Amino acid sequence: NGAGETRQRQNDYMQQEDDWDRDMLLDPAWEKQQRKTFTAWCNSHLRKAGTQIENIEEDFRDGLKLMLLLEVISGERLAKPERGKMRVHKISNVNKALDFIASKGVKLVSIGAEEIVDGNAKMTLGMIWTIILRFAIQDISVEETSAKEGLLLWCQRKTAPYKNVNIQNFHISWKDGLGFCALIHRHRPELIDYGKLRKDDPMTNLNTAFDVAEKYLDIPKMLDAEDIVGTARPDEKAIMTYVSSFYHAFSGAQKAETAANRICKVLAVNQENEQLMEDYEKLASDLLEWIRRTIPWLENRVPENTMQAMQQKLEDFRDYRRLHKPPKVQEKCQLEINFNTLQTKLRLSNRPAFMPSEGKMVSDISNAWGSLEGAEKGYEEWLLNEIRRLERLDHLAEKFRQKAAIHEAWTDGKEEMLQQKDYETASLSDIKALLKKHEAFESDLAAHQDRVEQIAAIAQELNELEYYDSPSVNARCQRICDQWDSLGVLTQKRSEALQRTEKLLETIDQLYLEFAKRAAPFNNWMEGAMEDLQDTFIVHTIEEIQGLSTAHEQFKATLPEADKERQAILGIHNEIAKIVQTYHVNMAGTNPYTTINSQEINAKWDKVRQLVPQRDQALIEEHARQQNNERLRRQFANQANVIGPWIQTKMQEIGRISIEMHGTLEDQLTHLRQYEKSIVNYKPKIDQLEGDHQLIQEALIFDNKHTNYTMEHIRVGWEQLLTTIARTINEIENQILTRDAKGISQDQMNEFRASFNHFDRDHSGRLGAEEFKACLISLGFDIGNDAQGEAEFSRIMSIVDPNRLGVVTFQAFIDFMSRETADTDTADQVMASFKVLAGDKNYILVDELRRELPPDQAEYCIARMTPYTGPDAVPGALDYMSFSTALYGESDL
């Protein structure tokens, strides 16, 4: 199709030039330029046949030199000419020449043999111009353009690097002479010192170019510098004729240069792809090995027995999150970018897709990374739960020891007391006293029942929470319970013994009994108060410490009433002393009903009063700590509530930029890189938030009502943001690679993006199957609803969606459209290029490769080409055909 379109454009151009405006020849300056140029052009060919012309109208009138000119430039023999001098003989010769021109596909309009024989200057010049077009310009082809456009494009390509040269046409663009000098310098730089030329000296520039071309390039002087400079608009046909001579003079060198460039391009792509494959394999191996070593560490759930050891584990985990994991996140992101870039380059160069070694696919790495993330999340949760458990265990163990110590102090000597036989020799009053005392003891024993139950309950909870020193706790708890059971049995036995002798007891000391009854509960109250005042507490919020403070204030409010009770008990004791002193009662020993005395009550009361301010201070300190914790919560929340929405906003902005069409792809890439820079510059705020999070964890703060964002949310969002911006930049770079490799214009890219965005209604960056089908139809693809249309659409979907995910990304869409609108290098093109370098041989020699290609790429070919074994093989011949085929097929290249 491309060749047919080129031929059609050539015919159209010939038709256009056949209908050229002959009135232009009325301009004397143009006619003069054409006459000189066409004459010089004809002589450059006729001299090969040993003849020349001086007057273009007169010398072509008999048709003989005209036929000779056509034979020289075409390389074909024309019909035998007529040698007669008669007019009919001349007309016959001219007709033979015109018929030959027409046989080459050229339509001659209004040009007849009679006019040429009659010496019509305009018709003769028109005919010569038609010959020049057909045999010197029409076959020029540059990058799918031909004839005049091809010649103009060739001039633009060759003169592009030169300052003050801007070739846009074949008239005024050449007036200053720099264009001719640039063409000569580009191909033969030793002939002209271009740096010394001046744009304001056109005469020198033009004469320099004409003289050098005539002397060294065998191009005759077809133009006069004075005519070009003195004409406002030089004749286009004269300029084109002269410039085409430069093209043909340099075309041989251009062909070899094009062949060498094509081979260099193909080999450079292959070498770069091989290096990218090696880099991917090494980076994937290193990352997978690190994941393999790290997961067992994160899956280790063997707890430590102390808070210090568990906190060290937490600190090690922080180092992992802060120091070890972030570089690996970057490596994973870079690995995905390298893989996508490599696959894009392979697709653009018609190479097979890269398949990594087994277990090193991007999906394998993603799965391994997912396992790592899962183990990491579970590990952090486990660490925090273990720290809470150990904190709870330490608190319970201390509480157990305190209650056990108080109980053991209370039970000390109780068994010996209950086993005494003192009632056997006691007097009646002593027996009565012993009975009352035992009743008081039973009351005291019942009051201690709650403490024993609390001790057992704490021991049970320690067992359920797997306290590491549970055996010693259980042993101590068992001793307390056994002793408690023994006290119950002994108490019952003594009670029964006293009751048996109760009939012997008749008197009772009411005051002692009253003292014992009121002193015992008061004593228990004081012991309970001391226990509560010395009890350790653990709180996590301001509200909890305020509750404890409120309860403490309520307790202090009861102290005046308690003091009244103490005074009343002490009053009973004082009354006993007064009775003993007044009536000289012979009282042996202390109060028979209780072991509590006034000194003990006063001592415990003093202890309670002493513990109250200590408790006040402890609550104040804890309140200050909770206020600091609240400050840390608010400090973290204030930053998190800004950073979290900022990350979400940036994610949305990146997504919007990736689908908008403002400016070129380079503009979008620049915009995204500015976003990336601003995001990287935001990293100190993340680090500051990490520092605040560490202070919160060190303070053992486990909740924060002021924000819904956790540090884990921020970390995940930050990592996703970095990955998204990197992936989006990579997608734009791949689009640029595709555009440049396929020669897609910016307007085409915009059209593709506009069509894609129009049907991407949910702005997801992907099209469903039906959306993609509608998009193709809008771009002019003929996809009907019949079976043939469905088959064609299925074929296209297999190209853009090889994994059958049901969606089409913009990169896949661009790759497909580029294949539909641009040509790419093929194995046949590479073989044709090698054949040029080999001089049309079926093999190539080592010396030819080293002469035509750069050293590294020549050695690359020599190392990989197999020996040529054809019938025309010579020693050292290499098979470039199998090598070219291997570049585009399955091989180790």
Side-chain angles (χ1 to χ4, degrees), residues 480-541:
I480 291 173
C481 291
D482 292 344
Q483 185 186 42
W484 185 255
D485 292 339
S486 176
L487 285 176
V489 172
L490 292 175
T491 298
Q492 183 63 28
K493 288 181 179 179
R494 185 172 179 83
S495 178
E496 291 172 355
L498 289 174
Q499 288 175 4
R500 285 193 300 268
T501 59
E502 185 179 8
K503 294 180 182 180
L504 303 175
L505 304 176
E506 297 178 349
T507 60
I508 185 171
D509 190 342
Q510 293 296 331
L511 291 174
Y512 271 138
L513 182 60
E514 180 69 9
F515 179 90
K517 287 183 177 181
R518 297 184 66 174
F522 184 74
N523 182 65
N524 286 337
W525 177 85
M526 287 193 297
E527 288 180 349
M530 287 189 293
E531 181 179 351
D532 292 338
L533 289 171
Q534 296 179 88
D535 188 20
T536 58
F537 53 85
I538 177 170
V539 294
H540 298 95
T541 65

Side-chain angles (χ1 to χ4, degrees), residues 395-500:
H395 173 67
L396 289 175
E398 180 62 24
K399 193 170 185 178
F400 175 85
R401 287 189 289 270
Q402 287 185 4
K403 288 185 177 294
I406 293 172
H407 178 76
E408 289 167 347
W410 180 82
T411 59
D412 184 36
K414 292 298 189 291
E415 290 177 292
E416 293 78 7
M417 180 197 72
L418 292 172
Q419 292 173 350
Q420 290 178 357
K421 303 295 183 179
D422 52 344
Y423 54 86
E424 295 179 348
T425 59
S427 63
L428 182 61
S429 59
D430 293 333
I431 291 299
K432 290 182 179 292
L434 289 175
L435 183 59
K436 297 301 181 183
K437 180 180 179 181
H438 189 68
E439 290 175 354
F441 174 77
E442 287 180 325
S443 177
D444 198 9
L445 185 68
H448 280 78
Q449 178 67 34
D450 290 341
R451 181 178 290 114
V452 174
E453 292 175 355
Q454 290 175 4
I455 291 172
I458 293 173
Q460 178 65 25
E461 187 173 358
L462 288 172
N463 278 280
E464 292 174 354
L465 294 176
E466 299 178 356
Y467 181 56
Y468 77 97
D469 198 21
S470 291
S472 63
V473 170
N474 292 337
R476 189 172 185 182
C477 181
Q478 189 61 46
R479 288 196 301 271
I480 291 173
C481 291
D482 292 344
Q483 185 186 42
W484 185 255
D485 292 339
S486 176
L487 285 176
V489 172
L490 292 175
T491 298
Q492 183 63 28
K493 288 181 179 179
R494 185 172 179 83
S495 178
E496 291 172 355
L498 289 174
Q499 288 175 4
R500 285 193 300 268

Side-chain angles (χ1 to χ4, degrees), residues 86-226:
M86 298 178 65
R87 177 179 174 83
V88 66
H89 296 148
K90 296 178 182 180
I91 292 175
S92 176
N93 289 338
V94 173
N95 276 327
K96 290 177 182 179
L98 295 179
D99 291 341
F100 178 81
I101 295 172
S103 70
K104 297 303 179 180
V106 179
K107 292 180 63 177
L108 297 173
V109 181
S110 301
I111 298 179
E114 293 81 3
E115 294 171 315
I116 304 300
V117 171
D118 292 338
N120 188 311
K122 290 193 293 182
M123 294 299 105
T124 303
L125 290 175
M127 178 188 66
I128 298 302
W129 173 240
T130 301
I131 293 173
I132 293 172
L133 277 178
R134 174 58 185 85
F135 294 100
I137 298 177
Q138 178 178 329
D139 291 333
I140 295 175
S141 178
V142 179
E143 295 185 12
E144 297 187 359
T145 62
S146 60
K148 177 181 178 180
E149 291 83 4
L151 182 60
L152 181 61
L153 181 59
W154 179 78
C155 295
Q156 291 172 341
R157 291 285 186 271
K158 294 301 180 182
T159 61
Y162 292 86
K163 64 180 181 179
N164 295 328
V165 178
N166 183 18
I167 304 301
Q168 298 296 328
N169 49 56
F170 286 105
H171 36 82
I172 60 175
S173 294
W174 302 86
K175 286 194 64 174
D176 58 10
L178 291 178
F180 296 111
C181 294
L183 285 177
I184 296 173
H185 186 268
R186 179 65 182 270
H187 295 90
R188 297 287 300 276
E190 74 278 8
L191 298 180
I192 291 180
D193 188 354
Y194 188 85
K196 293 183 177 180
L197 301 177
R198 302 198 319 273
K199 187 174 180 66
D200 59 356
D201 189 6
M203 291 293 295
T204 300
N205 299 338
L206 290 166
N207 286 324
T208 298
F210 297 162
D211 294 339
V212 170
E214 185 176 33
K215 182 177 182 180
Y216 297 101
L217 303 180
D218 199 25
I219 298 174
K221 189 174 182 181
M222 302 181 184
L223 302 171
D224 285 330
E226 295 80 5

